[in-house]
């Protein structure tokens, strides 16, 4: 058992990132805060997931699809030139090279298989950057299911290419015109629609949030990122484990999957948030979209709007397990601003020939800042999960340059 501390608080790593049990609690966070009409549906999904997760046949089918369809394992790429400039050794876990261009496909294939096993006919989803929507449309086509994706009108404008991809794959994209017209409002509409169609529809949540069992289930489907990266680091590094493990955080699914592979090691875990959507940094405990976690709120407890140049991080809450990791000190959470993100995207592109998603570029921006300021000591090793590719962001990048 290894230990890690923040502000003097110590937690046993063996207790972190395990099965949260029937209550779905991560400390004081998590749980199930949904209308009474959805409680049976949540219980049905939890029971189905527990049965499937203990079934070798389910794991066999999932592993096969992740290998022959999603393209796993994704490589661990040394960032040679950027490492030299920063005086560190930086490795990139390349989820941008997975089928559909992001880590989202890991979770969606798992949930789509579960929905198919439960006899559901349609997948419901919400999306911000569009990557979860594309992955859902893809998995639905693969398994012969219908797909309906809710997306904020503002995000539809920012992610036109991904909307087209979803349409080509046969999914119905429903514009959400309420509120800030971003991910938070898309989540509201998707959950409202689920209430009225729960008999034949499965709600495929895209991150480690929502009512129990979603935060736990999505982390388990994304755990493959961290387990692969840990084995790859063991083969590359003399001590087997990097000094830092870094990932961007909105809801936090790629970070949760990555951290799960290293939580019992000595690696420092760092989640990087958008400055305008930093729930782990600036949020307070509250309930949002069916779970209790850290949420951006005003003095009256009203949820405030988030902002990020990356549509996928434009969300005012964070997954409940991240809140627990923050409180216990096993992970720390940092913020970067939009300008740092754009400059990091350009620097990675021009030193390594890799166009990262704006979401992933948040993690790159913090590593650059921390290495250049000396916060990351020269000679340190860093493993960074590149959660998605930046092709989808070309229109936004053009406007920002």
């Amino acid at each position: 058992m290894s230990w890690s501390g923040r502000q003097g608080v110590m937690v046993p790593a063996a207790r972190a990132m395990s099965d949260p049990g029937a209550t779905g609690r991560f400390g004081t966070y998590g749980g199930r805060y949904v209308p009474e009409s959805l409680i049976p549906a949540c219980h049905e999904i939890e029971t189905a997931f527990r049965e499937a997760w203990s079934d070798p046949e389910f794991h066999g089918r999932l592993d096969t699809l992740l290998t022959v369809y999603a393209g796993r394992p994704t490589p661990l790429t040394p960032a040679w030139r950027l490492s030299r400039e920063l005086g560190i050794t930086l490795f990139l876990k390349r989820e941008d090279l997975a089928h559909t261009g992001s880590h989202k496909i890991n979770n969606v294939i798992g949930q789509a298989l579960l929905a198919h096993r439960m006899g559901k006919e349609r997948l419901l989803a919400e999306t911000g950057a569009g990557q979860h929507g594309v992955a859902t449309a893809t998995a639905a086509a693969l398994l012969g299911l219908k797909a309906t994706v809710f997306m904020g009108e503002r995000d539809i404008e920012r992610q036109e290419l991904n909307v087209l991809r979803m349409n080509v794959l046969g999914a119905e994209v429903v514009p959400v015109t309420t509120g800030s017209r971003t991910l938070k409002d898309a989540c509201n509409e998707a959950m409202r629609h689920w209430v009225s169609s729960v008999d034949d529809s499965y709600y495929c949540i895209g991150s480690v949030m929502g009512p129990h069992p979603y935060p736990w289930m999505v982390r388990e489907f994304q755990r493959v990122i961290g387990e692969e990266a840990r084995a790859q680091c063991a083969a590359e590094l003399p001590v087997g484990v990097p000094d830092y493990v870094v990932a961007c955080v909105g809801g936090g699914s790629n970070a949760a999957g990555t951290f799960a592979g290293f939580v019992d090691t000595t690696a420092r875990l760092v989640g990087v948030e958008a400055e305008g959507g930093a729930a782990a940094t600036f949020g307070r405990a509250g309930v949002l979209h069916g779970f209790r976690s850290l949420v951006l709120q005003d003095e009256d407890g009203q949820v405030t709007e988030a902002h990020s140049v990356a549509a996928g991080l434009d969300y005012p809450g964070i997954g409940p397990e991240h809140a627990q990791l923050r409180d216990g000190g096993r992970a720390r959470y940092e913020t970067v601003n939009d300008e740092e993100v754009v400059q990091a995207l350009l620097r990675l592109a021009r030193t390594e020939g890799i166009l990262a998603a704006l979401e992933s570029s948040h993690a790159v921006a913090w590593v650059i800042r921390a290495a250049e300021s000396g916060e990351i000591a020269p000679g340190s090793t860093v493993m960074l999960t590149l959660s998605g590719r930046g092709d989808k962001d070309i229109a936004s990048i053009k406007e920002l340059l």
Side-chain angles (χ1 to χ4, degrees), residues 127-145:
T127 193
Q131 292 300 85
H132 175 60
V134 170
T136 300
T138 299
L142 176 67
L143 298 178
L145 301 171

Side-chain angles (χ1 to χ4, degrees), residues 67-395:
T67 301
V68 304
Y69 188 74
R72 305 209 71 85
T74 57
L76 188 71
T77 301
W80 287 289
R81 293 184 61 207
L82 186 56
S83 291
R84 280 198 297 273
E85 289 184 5
L86 298 176
I88 63 175
T89 298
L90 174 61
F91 287 96
L92 305 173
K93 179 60 175 167
R94 302 292 305 281
E95 293 303 294
D96 59 313
L97 296 182
H99 181 43
T100 71
S102 82
H103 70 292
K104 295 292 187 183
I105 193 69
N106 309 319
N107 165 50
V108 169
I109 286 180
Q111 289 199 57
L113 282 176
L114 185 65
H116 193 262
R117 179 182 170 112
M118 294 170 66
K120 302 295 184 183
E121 299 173 357
R122 182 171 65 147
L123 300 180
L124 300 177
E126 83 296 318
T127 193
Q131 292 300 85
H132 175 60
V134 170
T136 300
T138 299
L142 176 67
L143 298 178
L145 301 171
K146 300 174 184 175
T148 302
V149 180
F150 294 84
M151 191 169 187
E153 196 174 48
R154 181 164 175 258
D155 290 336
I156 286 177
E157 295 167 0
R158 289 195 286 184
Q159 300 293 337
E160 185 179 359
L161 177 59
N162 273 340
V163 175
L164 177 60
R165 292 170 72 191
M166 285 183 265
N167 288 330
V168 169
L169 288 161
E172 177 191 13
V173 179
V174 180
V176 176
T177 59
T178 56
S180 59
R181 300 175 294 129
T182 59
L183 179 58
K184 173 175 70 70
D185 310 291
C187 291
N188 290 337
E189 289 302 318
M191 189 158 285
R192 270 196 283 269
H193 193 78
W194 189 33
V195 172
S196 62
S197 61
V198 69
D199 289 340
D200 67 347
S201 299
Y202 177 97
Y203 186 12
C204 184
I205 292 182
S207 194
V208 285
M209 56 189 201
H212 178 59
Y214 284 100
W216 166 51
M217 179 169 64
V218 174
R219 179 249 287 164
E220 287 303 284
F221 284 136
Q222 294 291 7
R223 179 184 287 273
V224 65
I225 302 172
E227 292 182 342
E228 279 181 12
R230 183 168 177 175
Q232 290 165 325
C233 285
E236 294 288 342
L237 300 173
V239 296
V241 176
D243 297 310
Y244 292 86
V245 171
V246 185
C248 66
V249 175
S253 65
N254 93 91
T258 302
F259 291 173
F262 293 91
V263 71
D264 61 344
T265 74
T266 56
R268 299 174 178 87
L269 309 181
V270 183
V272 185
E273 301 183 285
E275 192 174 66
T281 304
F282 304 122
R284 292 184 288 123
V287 173
L288 178 66
H289 297 142
F291 65 106
R292 186 175 190 273
S293 188
L294 298 170
V295 180
L296 296 178
Q297 304 168 59
D298 62 20
E299 293 179 352
D300 297 321
Q302 298 296 313
V303 176
T304 57
E305 291 186 4
H307 163 76
S308 172
V309 69
L313 304 188
D314 208 347
Y315 185 71
I318 189 171
E321 194 163 28
H322 284 293
Q324 183 192 39
L325 291 172
R326 188 208 70 161
D327 284 2
R330 184 59 192 95
R332 56 186 278 203
Y333 295 84
E334 301 286 343
T335 66
V336 293
N337 62 43
D338 288 352
E339 177 60 25
E340 290 177 293
V341 170
V342 173
Q343 292 307 315
L345 181 147
L346 294 174
R347 190 163 175 183
L348 183 68
R350 291 169 183 177
T351 54
E352 304 299 332
I354 296 172
L355 180 58
L358 284 167
E359 287 79 9
S360 311
S361 298
H362 283 67
V364 179
W366 180 80
V367 169
I368 290 173
R369 182 211 295 166
E372 292 186 336
S373 69
E375 183 176 357
I376 296 178
S380 297
T381 53
V382 179
M383 201 293 293
L384 184 156
T385 296
L386 216 57
S387 58
R389 64 179 175 234
D391 307 44
K392 67 181 180 60
D393 295 319
I394 284 296

